[in-house]
């Protein structure tokens, strides 16, 4: 290979280099730092060099730490419930509002407002609404003639429901928006063909629209799932994990481990576990689409050769 | 199988009227082809018959029943779309069986139906592929197959071959013609390709600007176009049009233009309306001119050959006739030299005359 050709081949990498450098410092360095910290017995009063290296002990501790395991379970429960509800409601709304009626674009804009409010504000807002005496919910319940209001934030079951409602309120619009976009880019003629083939509106939704939106829905689901695993602010403001540990999700647990219990190493280990889990989820999804694409490409190539 | 009638069919988008009162009757088991230039309303008409587009005025009758308020599925028809409109997430077998599955047909019946149609269209080995894994020609056949498994009375095609390359298109056209003989159904076929129209149709409907210009068998339209548009639209290479004057010299009719004076056969004097004399547009097809150096003066054109387009057995000569362009189609082995002025004899029976103003045939 001539020198010129080699230089040409290297050109793209030269252009990529600055971005790569930034990436290494901005992304990999903090992560590396965190991974390293997770092997240390490290309190905030020490510099990182002074902390004792204790190998995998932090991780081992986690597996027997009932509070952590509880928060892990709460997180999974929370993520599963909110993402399911948000997907169902978001896609349902998109199906309902996907028509060209006057005023529809205004309605759509209103629908996506909650997503734009800062999570802390959302938390505060809902805390007022959940207030046992002056909150809008309990006042309404009283006005309807019931004696006692609902103990929104002081009962362990109700507080879980309360944080779920707040999260669903804030994040359903995200799914709604993406589902609507996906729906509007569906091939119109395939839907017309289904109409001619005799499909009812409902059959079109179930047999054509939803399956065709699936790739977008899966990515949306993944994004929401990752986000739901990391949720912090709203719950912190609403219940701060309580009562008891009933709404203490992992992110909150990590925060408290570092802040209140001053166990930086253990907090780092928790973060790593969370990161690993989310990464596994993402990579799994990524591989799945790659394999699908490769299969399609292979078949298409074969088909085109047969046509020759 | 049913008889389909369009009565004063009108389509408006807002204030914009795109179809102006279409009247048409399609007999049972007839292959009707809508042709016309882009934007003339062919697809709109077809989609209104299918029920995908609402009717703004007039009525559609299927077997005498008004259907313009019926859902597409109540009209018993199958349609092949220009972009095929296959269901991307279903494999070929599922695509073809979709309608039957919706009708809850017994599984054994669905299977045998799909198998039969797949065999007829050469799709058997692709039944488990998704549309994205098929070539253009195969997708086209799946679209056809999906319509065929339906067994409905009427088939609608909206430019089903226009996305294929020339070779595949010729092949599919032949297959369609073959299928036409095997399947006794009403077929309504939209195209802007006049060769497809001529080869497939029992009845051609020529549309232009939201009006039907003429309808009839391919031969009728080719031989007796009712106006200049139809004459120029059907036939390839297209008909030559020359400005001329129709004159009467002692009972004998002549078409006179710059560079030519052609005597019309005697019968024409009886068929032409009395007021036809004066400025006209003369039309003659390129194949109705033959190289004949010894032809009589009043039966021939003297043309200057400008370009010769060789297309195999035939060649098309582009010639000049005192400033007007004339095309001649003849055997490629005819000894022709470019740049020379040569004499071509006209088949005077095949001369068409059109009113210069209204463009209607005289
Ligand atoms: N949704 C619409 N809104 C407004 N005008 C429309 C609409 N759909 C079609 N038209 C107009 O109706 C006329 C007929 O359209 P149509 O699609 O029937 O043409 P076509 O004969 O099928 O042409 P082509 O050969 O290009 O497919 C065109 O002038 C087009 O601009
Ligand atoms: Mg069209």
């Amino acid at each position: 290979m001539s020198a010129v050709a080699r230089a040409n081949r290297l050109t793209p990498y030269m252009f990529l280099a600055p971005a790569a450098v930034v990436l290494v410092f901005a992304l990999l360095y903090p992560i590396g730092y965190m991974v390293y910290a997770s092997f240390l017995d490290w309190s905030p009063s020490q510099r990182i060099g002074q902390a004792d290296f204790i190998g995998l002990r932090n991780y081992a501790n986690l597996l027997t730490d009932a509070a952590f395991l509880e928060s892990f379970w709460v997180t999974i429960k929370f993520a599963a419930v909110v993402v399911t509800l948000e997907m169902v409601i978001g896609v349902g709304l998109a199906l309902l509002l996907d028509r060209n009626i006057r005023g529809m674009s205004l309605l759509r804009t209103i629908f996506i407002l909650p997503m734009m409010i800062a999570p802390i504000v959302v938390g505060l807002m809902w805390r007022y609404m959940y207030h046992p005496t002056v909150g809008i919910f309990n006042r309404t319940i009283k006005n309807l003639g019931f004696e006692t209001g609902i103990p929104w934030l002081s009962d362990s079951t109700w507080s879980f429901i309360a944080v779920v409602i707040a999260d669903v309120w804030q994040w359903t619009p995200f799914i709604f928006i993406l589902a609507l976009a996906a729906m509007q880019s569906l091939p119109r003629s395939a839907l017309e063909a289904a109409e001619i083939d005799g499909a009812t509106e409902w059959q079109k939704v179930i047999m054509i629209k939803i399956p065709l939106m699936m790739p977008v829905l899966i990515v949306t689901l993944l994004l929401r799932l990752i986000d739901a695993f990391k949720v912090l602010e709203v719950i912190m403001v609403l219940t701060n994990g309580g009562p008891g540990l009933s709404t203490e999700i992992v992110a909150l647990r990590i925060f408290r481990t570092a802040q209140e219990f001053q166990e930086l190493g253990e907090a780092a280990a928790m973060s790593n576990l969370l990161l690993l889990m989310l990464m596994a989820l993402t990579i799994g999804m990524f591989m799945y689409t790659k394999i699908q694409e490769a299969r399609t490409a292979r078949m298409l190539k074969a088909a085109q050769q047969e046509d020759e | 199988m049913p008889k389909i009638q369009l009565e004063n069919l009108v389509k408006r988008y807002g204030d914009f009227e795109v179809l102006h009162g279409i009247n048409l009757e399609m007999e049972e088991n007839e292959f009707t082809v809508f042709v016309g230039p882009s934007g003339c309303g062919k697809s709109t008409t077809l989609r209104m018959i299918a029920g995908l587009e609402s009717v703004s005025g007039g009525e559609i009758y299927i077997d005498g029943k008004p259907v313009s308020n019926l859902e597409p599925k109540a009209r018993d028809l199958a349609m092949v779309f220009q972009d095929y409109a296959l269901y991307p997430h279903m494999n070929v077998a599922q695509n073809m069986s979709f309608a039957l599955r919706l009708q809850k047909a017994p599984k054994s019946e669905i299977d045998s139906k799909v198998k039969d149609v797949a065999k007829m269209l050469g799709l058997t080995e692709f039944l488990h592929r998704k549309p994205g894994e098929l070539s253009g020609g195969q997708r086209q056949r799946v679209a056809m197959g999906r319509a065929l498994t339906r067994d409905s009375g009427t088939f609608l095609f909206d430019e089903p071959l226009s996305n294929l390359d020339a070779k595949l298109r010729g092949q599919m056209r032949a297959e369609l013609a073959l299928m036409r003989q095997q399947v006794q159904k009403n077929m309504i076929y939209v195209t802007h390709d006049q060769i497809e129209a001529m080869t497939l149709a029992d009845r051609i409907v020529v549309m232009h600007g939201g009006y039907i210009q003429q309808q009839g068998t391919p031969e009728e339209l080719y031989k007796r176009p009712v106006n200049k548009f139809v004459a120029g639209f059907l036939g390839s290479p297209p008909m030559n049009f020359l400005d001329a004057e129709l004159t009467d010299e002692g009972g004998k009719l002549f078409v006179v233009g710059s560079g030519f004076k052609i005597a019309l056969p005697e019968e024409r004097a009886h068929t032409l309306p009395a007021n036809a004399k004066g400025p006209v547009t003369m039309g003659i097809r390129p194949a109705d001119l033959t190289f004949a150096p010894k032809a009589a003066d009043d039966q021939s054109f003297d043309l200057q050959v400008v370009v010769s387009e060789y297309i195999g057995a035939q060649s098309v000569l582009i010639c000049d006739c005192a400033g007007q362009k004339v095309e001649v189609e003849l055997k490629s082995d005819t000894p022709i030299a470019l740049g020379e002025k040569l004499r071509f004899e006209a088949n005077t029976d095949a001369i068409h005359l059109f009113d210069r103003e209204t463009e209607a045939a005289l």
Side-chain angles (χ1 to χ4, degrees):
Chain A
M1 196 191 300
S2 76
V4 176
R6 200 168 322 136
N8 273 344
R9 244 168 31 121
L10 289 178
T11 315
Y13 296 100
M14 274 162 53
F15 283 110
L16 281 176
V21 170
V22 170
L23 201 70
V24 166
F25 278 99
L27 193 70
L28 295 185
Y29 179 76
I31 291 180
Y33 201 86
M34 185 179 76
V35 171
Y36 177 56
S38 71
F39 299 123
L40 302 177
D41 180 12
W42 183 24
S43 84
S45 56
Q46 295 167 306
R47 275 191 287 120
I48 192 163
Q50 299 169 322
D52 292 330
F53 188 85
I54 54 167
L56 289 172
R57 186 124 45 88
N58 281 331
Y59 290 93
N61 285 347
L62 284 186
L63 297 182
T64 53
D65 177 353
F68 174 75
L69 292 181
E70 174 67 20
S71 74
F72 202 75
W73 168 235
V74 170
T75 305
I76 288 180
K77 206 165 60 171
F78 176 80
V81 171
V82 295
V83 173
T84 309
L85 284 175
E86 286 163 12
M87 288 300 289
V88 171
I89 302 175
V91 174
L93 277 179
L95 285 168
L96 280 178
L97 295 189
D98 176 31
R99 46 206 76 188
N100 291 320
I101 309 174
R102 199 188 307 225
M104 203 45 94
S105 58
L106 181 72
L107 202 59
R108 286 184 201 141
T109 316
I110 293 174
F111 262 114
I112 61 174
L113 278 179
M115 210 174 75
M116 303 178 189
I117 305 174
I120 294 279
V121 178
V122 172
L124 289 171
M125 208 173 78
W126 281 89
R127 198 163 83 182
Y128 289 124
M129 293 201 289
Y130 284 137
H131 191 280
T133 50
V134 298
I136 176 95
F137 294 122
N138 278 2
R139 261 192 312 164
T140 311
I141 289 172
K142 287 239 169 72
N143 288 344
L144 288 176
F146 294 94
E147 279 300 301
T148 50
I150 291 172
W152 287 110
L153 300 178
S154 49
D155 174 86
S156 59
T157 309
W158 280 112
S159 63
F160 185 79
I161 294 174
V163 294
V164 165
I165 292 177
D167 194 88
V168 168
W169 179 82
Q170 186 174 24
W171 289 111
T172 299
F174 174 75
I175 308 227
F176 167 71
I177 267 192
L178 292 182
L180 195 66
M183 210 168 295
Q184 285 174 345
S185 62
L186 290 182
R188 210 175 72 121
S189 60
L191 290 167
E192 288 180 342
E195 217 167 290
I196 293 206
D197 274 347
T200 60
E201 281 303 313
W202 180 242
Q203 283 170 326
K204 274 199 291 186
V205 168
I206 295 295
M207 301 172 85
I208 312 282
K209 286 189 185 176
I210 302 268
L212 286 184
M213 284 161 62
M214 217 24 111
V216 176
L217 293 185
I218 287 176
V219 173
T220 312
L221 180 99
L222 188 67
L223 287 174
R224 263 315 290 148
L225 213 53
I226 291 174
D227 236 32
F229 272 106
K230 298 186 309 186
V231 64
L232 175 68
E233 297 98 324
V234 175
I235 297 185
M236 197 155 86
V237 173
L238 266 183
T239 65
N240 200 20
L245 294 181
S246 60
T247 57
E248 184 167 292
I249 33 63
V250 170
L252 200 53
R253 183 84 208 160
I254 295 172
F255 177 73
R256 290 178 61 194
T257 309
Q259 282 300 108
E260 285 175 32
F261 313 142
Q262 312 259 307
E263 296 277 5
L264 294 190
E266 203 163 319
M270 290 178 186
S271 301
N272 273 341
L273 274 186
L274 192 62
L275 180 69
L276 281 178
M277 221 176 75
L278 297 183
M279 239 158 66
L281 212 61
T282 315
I283 290 173
M285 218 58 101
F286 189 66
M287 300 257 280
Y288 173 76
T289 43
K290 274 279 171 231
I291 291 171
Q292 287 289 323
E293 275 169 19
R295 194 187 101 96
T296 306
R298 206 174 53 235
M299 301 286 251
L300 185 60
K301 207 160 151 220
Q304 274 159 352
Q305 271 161 5
E306 281 160 28
D307 241 21
E308 294 294 299
Chain B
M1 290 163 274
K3 185 168 163 162
I4 300 177
Q5 284 165 282
L6 311 181
E7 190 183 274
N8 278 321
L9 200 60
V10 172
K11 178 68 190 177
R12 275 182 292 267
Y13 290 107
D15 291 336
F16 183 55
E17 190 168 300
V18 296
L19 287 182
H20 323 279
I22 299 287
N23 284 297
L24 186 61
E25 281 192 22
M26 289 164 269
E27 296 299 333
E28 289 173 22
N29 297 339
E30 204 171 42
F31 198 120
T32 307
V33 176
F34 289 160
V35 273
S38 194
C40 69
K42 311 176 293 284
S43 298
T44 307
T45 312
L46 193 75
R47 291 168 56 82
M48 281 163 87
I49 297 174
L52 295 171
E53 213 66 74
S54 65
V55 172
S56 318
E59 188 54 80
I60 300 167
Y61 297 94
I62 296 183
D63 271 343
K65 266 201 336 255
V67 296
S68 64
N69 289 318
L70 292 185
E71 294 274 302
K73 63 173 169 172
R75 303 188 187 193
D76 184 35
L77 23 83
M79 182 157 171
V80 179
F81 290 77
Q82 176 169 4
D83 61 355
Y84 314 143
L86 300 176
Y87 310 123
H89 57 297
M90 300 183 197
N91 67 28
V92 171
Q94 289 165 332
N95 259 284
M96 299 209 309
S97 63
F98 187 66
L100 292 179
R101 283 186 286 140
L102 290 180
Q103 291 164 14
K104 303 254 185 309
K107 191 164 181 322
S108 58
E109 188 194 318
I110 296 179
D111 285 348
S112 73
K113 196 92 201 204
V114 168
K115 214 180 272 170
D116 287 351
V117 174
K119 193 164 156 220
M120 174 173 155
L121 294 172
L123 288 170
T124 309
E125 48 184 316
F126 307 118
L127 282 176
H128 295 288
R129 296 241 191 118
K130 298 248 175 86
E133 298 156 1
L134 297 173
S135 69
Q138 292 161 349
R139 279 180 219 183
Q140 208 283 331
R141 275 181 278 161
V142 177
M144 209 75 96
R146 187 172 61 182
L148 283 174
T149 28
R150 290 280 307 279
D151 212 18
S152 35
T154 306
F155 282 77
L156 308 177
F157 301 87
D158 193 354
E159 308 206 23
L161 306 186
S162 63
N163 284 341
L164 302 178
D165 63 41
K167 183 170 153 235
L168 210 51
R169 199 161 165 173
Q171 212 173 313
M172 289 306 298
R173 194 169 62 221
E175 280 179 37
L176 253 174
L178 193 68
M179 189 188 92
R180 161 90 196 96
Q181 293 167 4
Q182 296 169 353
V183 186
Q184 284 298 310
K185 305 270 170 154
N186 277 28
M187 309 218 177
I188 307 179
Y189 188 103
V190 163
T191 178
H192 57 245
D193 182 322
Q194 50 106 6
I195 296 184
E196 265 168 46
M198 299 290 275
T199 50
L200 292 171
D202 294 326
R203 177 200 298 274
I204 295 187
V205 178
V206 180
M207 295 184 68
H208 182 43
Y211 292 98
I212 291 184
Q213 301 291 321
Q214 189 177 2
Q215 49 164 310
T217 63
E219 198 182 352
E220 270 166 25
L221 267 63
Y222 186 79
K223 293 210 167 136
R224 290 186 295 283
V226 297
N227 61 29
K228 191 178 156 195
F229 177 81
V230 176
F233 193 77
L234 297 179
S236 161
M239 186 184 279
N240 298 301
F241 294 111
L242 294 160
D243 286 340
E245 196 94 21
L246 186 63
T247 59
D248 184 344
E249 292 174 17
K252 210 162 160 41
L253 289 177
F254 288 90
V255 190
V256 188
S258 53
F260 62 90
K261 178 174 179 183
I262 310 275
L264 288 181
E266 244 165 74
E267 319 85 76
R268 291 299 285 271
H270 309 303
T271 55
L272 278 171
N275 61 358
K277 287 169 204 81
V280 292
T281 301
M282 185 190 89
I284 183 151
R285 295 198 185 273
D288 289 325
L289 291 165
T290 41
F291 178 56
K294 300 204 174 62
D297 278 348
D298 66 356
Q299 298 290 309
S300 58
F301 293 86
D302 290 318
L303 304 175
Q304 180 108 22
V305 182
V306 183
V307 179
S308 166
E309 289 179 337
Y310 177 79
I311 45 173
Q314 300 283 315
S315 287
V316 175
L317 305 179
I318 299 176
C319 310
D320 179 77
C321 175
Q324 302 194 75
K325 193 182 98 172
V326 176
E327 291 186 355
V328 179
E329 188 181 8
L330 37 63
K331 285 224 170 62
S332 290
D333 53 14
T334 318
I336 296 290
L338 290 189
E340 270 179 57
K341 193 153 197 167
L342 301 171
R343 177 159 284 202
F344 293 90
E345 182 170 32
N347 172 6
T348 51
D349 288 326
I351 285 179
H352 300 264
L353 296 173
F354 304 98
D355 188 298
R356 190 84 66 83
E357 297 278 297
T358 64
E359 302 198 338
L362 295 172

